[in-house]
């Protein structure tokens, strides 16, 4: 299904609203595989954003481009959960 056309600037504004907040990230890996984790959105850059996972199994940070967010490969929602 083709999604509605949205601009990258709107995606950046939406992601900027999550900056320094606890979020739940769901990543579509293809072939009906998804990965979900909780973390903190720690970096906003011109071409991508980074999330620091709370899970100890993740090493370092994970980064995603705004186009991945626009295409629906990455879903982000704010959580009220405390760690």
């Amino acid at each position: 299904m083709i999604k509605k056309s949205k601009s990258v600037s709107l995606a950046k504004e939406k992601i900027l609203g999550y900056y320094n907040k606890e979020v739940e990230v769901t990543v579509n890996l293809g072939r009906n595989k998804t990965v979900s984790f909780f973390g903190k959105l720690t970096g906003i850059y011109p071409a991508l954003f980074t999330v620091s996972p709370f899970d100890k199994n993740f090493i370092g940070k994970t980064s995603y481009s705004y186009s991945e967010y626009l295409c629906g490969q990455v879903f982000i929602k704010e959580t009220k959960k405390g760690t």
Side-chain angles (χ1 to χ4, degrees):
M1 176 187 225
I2 298 174
K3 293 185 127 190
K4 255 186 182 175
S5 178
K6 295 180 184 176
S7 69
V8 175
S9 62
L10 291 175
K12 286 182 182 183
E13 288 177 17
K14 179 104 175 164
I15 297 296
L16 188 61
Y18 296 130
Y19 183 67
N20 251 351
K21 295 183 180 175
E22 295 179 7
V23 293
E24 180 182 3
V25 179
T26 304
V27 182
N28 182 358
L29 300 174
R31 293 189 177 248
N32 297 325
K33 296 177 191 168
T34 58
V35 173
S36 295
F37 62 91
F38 293 96
K40 188 173 187 178
L41 201 140
T42 56
I44 303 275
Y45 302 99
L48 54 91
F49 58 94
T50 59
V51 179
S52 293
F54 295 140
D55 189 5
K56 300 297 179 193
N57 294 331
F58 283 89
I59 298 173
K61 297 181 181 178
T62 55
S63 61
Y64 305 101
S65 68
Y66 297 108
S67 62
E68 289 175 320
Y69 177 75
L70 281 176
C71 293
Q73 293 176 319
V74 177
F75 299 98
I76 297 178
K77 72 178 179 182
E78 186 176 356
T79 61
K80 305 294 182 200
K81 180 182 167 184
T83 56

